[in-house]
Amino acid sequence: MFLSARTSCITQSISRWHVNRNKSGSNGTGRHLGALTFASYAEQPATSGMSSNATPRICILGGGFGGLYTAVRLESLMWPHSRRPQITLIDQNERFVFKPLLYELINGGAKPEEVAPLFSDLLASMTSTSFVQGSVDSVHSDDSMGSVNSSNAGGTITLVDGQQLQYDWLVLALGSSTSFFGIPGVKELALPFNDFKDAMRVLRRVEEIEARPPGVPADVVVVGAGYAGVELATTVAERLGNRAAVQLVSAGGDILEGMPPGQVKVARKMLQDLHIKIVTNAMVSSIRQEHHQPSTAKTSTSQRVHPAAAAAAKQQVHIKLPSNSKSTVHADMVLWTAGSSPASHAARKLKLPFKTNKQGALLTDRNLRVVQQQRVFALGDVAGSEVEAQTANIPPTAQVAFQQADYVAWNLWSSINARPLLPFKYQHLGDMMSLGRVNGAVTLPVPVSRQLASSLQGGPLSSLLGAAGISFQPDDTGKGVTLQGPLAGFVRRAAYLYRQPTDQHKLRVGSNWLQQAAEQAQRVLSGAPATRR
């Protein structure tokens, strides 16, 4: 199954390096082969310059997918005697956020503790990893092209509260932050959707709109028509129903530009079914709060405005359209998904002594090691290879961070034990998106000839596959099997269950989802309407 490829891609790279040339075995899931490889390395004497009784100290800045999964992977590796590192995970928040499941907080498909568990709970069973909550003020590196085997290399992390942490090896996985592009009023009035706190604010606003009396529909504007914008628009529109009119504003000529054609087709159909208006080639120039003049007429008790309806004034979203024309959209809620930037973009403010590219991402070599640094690695949204041509098509997604975490963990193991490092090689496993509580769209990178795809169009098999939620829409590379509807929704949730960071949390989330599915099935069989938790 394509989900197990993150381990197999590393074992394939190891075989290319001939690290394990004397051991041959079945590929299986790749997990067993990986264990054999680590064991064979561990049996060899290490030649690191560090003293044999020194415990390596690894600090990981950022507890997102890249940071947390690097820690989990490091914990699972087989280490030589006395070489197991002391790992410190540092994040400004107390919770890890499984961002692809934030939409489930809005539609009731998951509980907050399933989407954003506490770091303390996730790391409770790990013997070598500790968590420190804090914001980074500065990093002082003693590395600067020093020898990997130097005993005094490393550096110091200073937190905002003054606490200092020493490290021998550093991993930068700071993730991304919402970009407002300096557009007036956006930061102050629009609701971003990038982390757990953002999602909870959106949820509270949706609940306020639901509390309005019937017949007073709200106007909702979602800015940005990439994956996040389309997923959020369908989630909100499905939940609010006829209580809201939703508009999706795209700066480009279409939704999901550059994405697999099968997904674009399915998403466009879902937006149409939910009566979501799509505004293309539109650039938001500003957002302003409307100010109503108070009425001088006396209002009777029967004419008083409902508190939920009067809780927030509308906002004016000013939009630039083609041919220099302008438009103003009045909104009760503006959701902003139009862009993000690497958190390292604020490197100047955080005093990070590392080089960045024009986008603000840290420059790394092919091994995900920060340039001019022997003991510092970067991954996820903050990593940008100095070999730009090789990474130009790698999206800043959780899927990339998953895979990079394996490589960074392995390369830390190799560096500490003076073994060869592996260059990162991205393996695209497909694209998944939510289109409401039950539906979704999943594109698998399976080769499909255009002749086969066209021959299935309109045939009897096409109707059967369509009913099952399967279609063939090859992209420019000739790949693209698209799953849609409840089938895609199930595959997406199963994939994210598989990707949960620890076995304990995976079991907890899986059991809750099974219980939820059983309760919903019982309501359907009894004729009662399905409800959100």
Side-chain angles (χ1 to χ4, degrees):
M1 188 176 179
F2 74 97
L3 296 174
S4 64
R6 79 180 173 109
T7 302
S8 63
C9 64
I10 288 188
T11 56
Q12 291 166 11
S13 299
I14 292 172
S15 65
R16 287 196 299 272
W17 278 88
H18 304 286
V19 172
N20 197 30
R21 68 175 66 194
N22 295 325
K23 290 183 181 287
S24 60
S26 61
N27 50 13
T29 63
R31 192 178 302 275
H32 182 57
L33 177 59
L36 289 176
T37 303
F38 300 141
S40 65
Y41 261 47
E43 291 167 0
Q44 302 178 31
T47 58
S48 171
M50 296 180 65
S51 60
S52 59
N53 59 355
T55 299
R57 299 165 299 180
I58 299 176
C59 280
I60 302 175
L61 297 186
F65 286 113
L68 177 62
Y69 283 69
T70 296
V72 172
R73 188 59 169 159
L74 285 168
E75 187 87 24
S76 69
L77 296 181
M78 297 179 63
W79 293 85
H81 180 65
S82 77
R83 307 297 292 175
R84 176 170 287 276
Q86 175 188 345
I87 306 165
T88 303
L89 181 66
I90 305 170
D91 195 274
Q92 62 183 349
N93 300 305
E94 64 178 355
R95 295 177 180 273
F96 163 71
V97 182
F98 202 103
K99 288 188 177 181
L101 291 178
L102 285 175
Y103 310 98
E104 267 70 1
L105 292 178
I106 308 301
N107 62 30
K111 298 178 180 179
E113 59 269 24
E114 296 167 4
V115 178
L118 294 170
F119 283 111
S120 57
D121 292 340
L122 292 175
L123 303 178
S125 62
M126 299 185 187
T127 58
S128 303
T129 305
S130 59
F131 172 66
V132 173
Q133 183 178 358
S135 298
V136 177
D137 178 69
S138 64
V139 175
H140 175 74
S141 174
D142 296 324
D143 192 0
S144 299
M145 293 301 292
S147 170
V148 171
N149 297 328
S150 173
S151 60
N152 59 357
T156 304
I157 299 168
T158 302
L159 303 182
V160 172
D161 63 4
Q163 182 180 2
Q164 291 190 329
L165 301 168
Q166 307 293 324
Y167 70 84
D168 299 305
W169 306 86
L170 177 64
V171 177
L172 298 167
L174 298 171
S176 64
S177 58
T178 302
S179 179
F180 301 106
F181 306 108
I183 300 174
V186 173
K187 185 176 182 180
E188 295 79 13
L189 299 175
L191 296 177
F193 197 79
N194 188 57
D195 58 28
F196 177 68
K197 293 180 181 178
D198 293 341
M200 296 307 292
R201 281 194 290 267
V202 173
L203 175 60
R204 287 193 293 269
R205 189 73 187 96
V206 168
E207 291 173 342
E208 289 174 2
I209 293 174
E210 285 182 322
R212 291 183 174 187
V216 186
D219 293 304
V220 177
V221 175
V222 180
V223 183
Y227 278 125
V230 173
E231 290 180 286
L232 186 56
T234 54
T235 299
V236 171
E238 181 185 66
R239 171 159 181 169
L240 292 178
N242 58 10
R243 291 180 176 272
V246 180
Q247 295 190 50
L248 180 63
V249 178
S250 172
D254 198 0
I255 63 169
L256 301 174
E257 289 191 325
M259 301 303 142
Q263 272 193 319
V264 176
K265 182 179 179 180
V266 174
R268 191 182 293 114
K269 175 68 165 55
M270 181 59 67
L271 292 171
Q272 181 180 355
D273 292 344
L274 291 171
H275 306 290
I276 297 173
K277 180 181 179 181
I278 303 174
V279 183
T280 58
N281 298 309
M283 300 288 292
V284 174
S285 58
S286 67
I287 301 178
R288 298 177 182 176
Q289 189 78 50
E290 285 191 357
H291 297 285
H292 295 284
Q293 295 295 331
S295 176
T296 58
K298 294 183 179 181
T299 303
S300 65
T301 304
S302 60
Q303 294 175 326
R304 287 176 184 171
V305 180
H306 191 280
K314 282 183 176 290
Q315 296 151 0
Q316 296 178 349
V317 183
H318 299 278
I319 298 175
K320 292 182 180 179
L321 298 170
S323 303
N324 293 323
S325 61
K326 299 179 180 180
S327 174
T328 299
V329 177
H330 301 271
D332 295 274
M333 177 170 63
V334 180
L335 302 174
W336 187 265
T337 68
S340 63
S341 60
S344 57
H345 189 66
R348 298 177 183 87
K349 295 181 180 179
L350 294 178
K351 306 171 189 175
L352 300 181
F354 311 117
K355 289 187 175 181
T356 61
N357 62 15
K358 294 180 180 179
Q359 290 72 39
L362 297 165
L363 285 175
T364 66
D365 61 20
R366 298 175 182 176
N367 305 317
L368 298 177
R369 188 167 52 187
V370 174
V371 297
Q372 299 182 357
Q373 301 287 325
Q374 293 294 314
R375 291 171 172 254
V376 182
F377 292 83
L379 73 161
D381 296 334
V382 301
S385 173
E386 62 176 345
V387 189
E388 296 292 346
Q390 295 189 0
T391 60
N393 296 322
I394 297 180
T397 62
Q399 181 181 164
V400 174
F402 285 139
Q403 296 184 29
Q404 288 181 335
D406 276 349
Y407 278 87
V408 168
W410 171 261
N411 285 338
L412 282 166
W413 189 100
S414 298
S415 298
I416 292 172
N417 293 286
R419 300 292 183 252
L421 274 61
L422 290 176
F424 173 63
K425 184 175 178 61
Y426 174 60
Q427 183 176 359
H428 187 60
L429 306 178
D431 300 283
M432 300 186 294
M433 65 184 302
S434 167
L435 293 174
R437 179 160 181 167
V438 176
N439 297 299
V442 176
T443 298
L444 306 178
V446 178
V448 178
S449 68
R450 296 190 181 279
Q451 182 179 3
L452 173 62
S454 60
S455 65
L456 289 174
Q457 295 284 344
L461 186 57
S462 176
S463 300
L464 182 62
L465 292 173
I470 304 172
S471 62
F472 299 92
Q473 297 281 336
D475 56 17
D476 294 337
T477 65
K479 297 179 180 179
V481 175
T482 302
L483 309 180
Q484 59 183 297
L487 174 62
F490 172 79
V491 170
R492 172 182 171 272
R493 286 173 70 90
Y496 289 148
L497 177 61
Y498 174 85
R499 289 294 195 184
Q500 293 301 313
T502 66
D503 291 338
Q504 294 89 339
H505 190 62
K506 190 181 302 182
L507 180 61
R508 186 180 305 115
V509 172
S511 60
N512 288 341
W513 285 2
L514 285 175
Q515 180 181 357
Q516 178 190 16
E519 292 173 354
Q520 296 289 1
Q522 185 177 4
R523 291 191 185 96
V524 171
L525 292 176
S526 63
T531 60
R532 288 181 293 270
R533 289 188 298 175

